[in-house]
């Protein structure tokens, strides 16, 4: 029987680009992939949090970062080029930058509010994929993983802009998987349910400012496992899906939702 790779060797020599790296899930993924041997390029708009994460990781020359808006194609292109110059290529893309936007009914959203969510959640994902694909092809393959959401498979009142964006990235993933299969590039999405982090605090407080805990209680009440996910749980399935252990997985949307969408 073939010996299993050790935890610290699973991604040895691999190069991972992570957008939204300064977010809670992005940080958890960066910590785990670094522990498993990957070199990291961290991308986010929040310079102070990126610097803090880089210091926390303490990865030396195995960690680099760039401050940018993931909706800015020229900036992302430069960052990917920097990745190739620094580490020699790109093997993994975690397109994890995302925003929830305001909690409002469809008719109350402004054009700017709707467009801002699409820019980050859809255009930003497409841009990162577009510019990471060529260096992946040069390496003979790679793995792209996108954050969708359970909102990418069902609808929610007051979140039409977010739901639309997450449905859109599922379409990107499926089309890209069909296009890139013969290039050895796998493309998948995870679809988290509620995760215990800043984004859910924002949704809860917007939905019911006087009692956000009641919103959390209502949501956990309809989740079969009766709790939110942790950032680390999302990181664990991330590591699996971009690893060689998932070598025949492409074009899939993988729920991480405690059974929320099982019904």
């Amino acid at each position: 029987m073939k010996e299993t790779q050790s935890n610290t060797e699973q991604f040895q020599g691999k190069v991972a680009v992570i957008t939204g790296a300064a977010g809670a899930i992005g940080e958890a993924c960066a910590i785990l992939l670094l522990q498993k041997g990957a070199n990291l390029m961290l991308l986010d708009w929040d310079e102070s949090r990126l610097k803090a994460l880089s210091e926390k990781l303490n990865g030396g020359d195995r960690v680099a970062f760039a401050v940018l808006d993931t909706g800015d194609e020229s900036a992302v292109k430069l960052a990917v080029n920097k990745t190739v110059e620094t580490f020699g290529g790109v093997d993994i893309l975690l397109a994890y930058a995302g925003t929830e936007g305001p909690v409002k009914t469809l008719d109350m959203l402004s054009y700017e509010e709707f467009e801002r969510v699409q820019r980050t959640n859809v255009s930003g994902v497409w841009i990162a994929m577009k510019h990471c694909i060529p260096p992946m092809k040069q390496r003979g393959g790679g793995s792209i993983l996108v954050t969708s959401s359970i909102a990418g498979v069902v609808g929610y009142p007051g979140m039409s802009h977010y739901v639309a964006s997450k449905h859109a990235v599922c379409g990107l993933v499926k089309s890209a998987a069909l296009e890139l299969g013969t290039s050895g590039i796998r493309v998948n999405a995870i679809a988290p349910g509620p995760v215990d982090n800043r984004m859910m605090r924002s949704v809860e407080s917007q939905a019911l400012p006087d009692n956000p805990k009641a919103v959390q209680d209502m949501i956990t009440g309809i989740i079969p496992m009766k709790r939110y996910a942790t950032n680390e749980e999302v990181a664990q399935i991330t590591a699996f899906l971009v690893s060689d252990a998932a070598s025949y997985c492409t074009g899939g949307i993988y729920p991480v939702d405690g059974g929320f969408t099982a019904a």
Side-chain angles (χ1 to χ4, degrees), residues 63-80:
V63 177
F65 67 86
V67 180
L68 50 74
D69 172 2
T70 53
D72 181 342
E73 183 173 7
S74 61
V76 172
K77 182 179 180 179
L78 286 172
V80 174

Side-chain angles (χ1 to χ4, degrees), residues 198-219:
R198 181 214 62 80
M199 184 176 285
M200 282 309 300
R201 299 294 89 79
S202 170
V203 171
E204 292 160 2
S205 61
Q206 288 189 72
L208 197 59
D210 293 335
N211 192 4
K213 181 61 165 56
V215 179
Q216 183 176 352
D217 291 343
M218 181 273 293
I219 295 172

Side-chain angles (χ1 to χ4, degrees), residues 159-184:
M159 297 292 291
S160 60
H161 49 324
Y162 183 77
V163 170
S165 72
K166 294 304 183 179
H167 274 68
V169 296
C170 289
L172 275 175
V173 162
K174 290 177 180 294
S175 295
L178 295 175
E179 293 177 5
L180 298 170
T182 56
S183 297

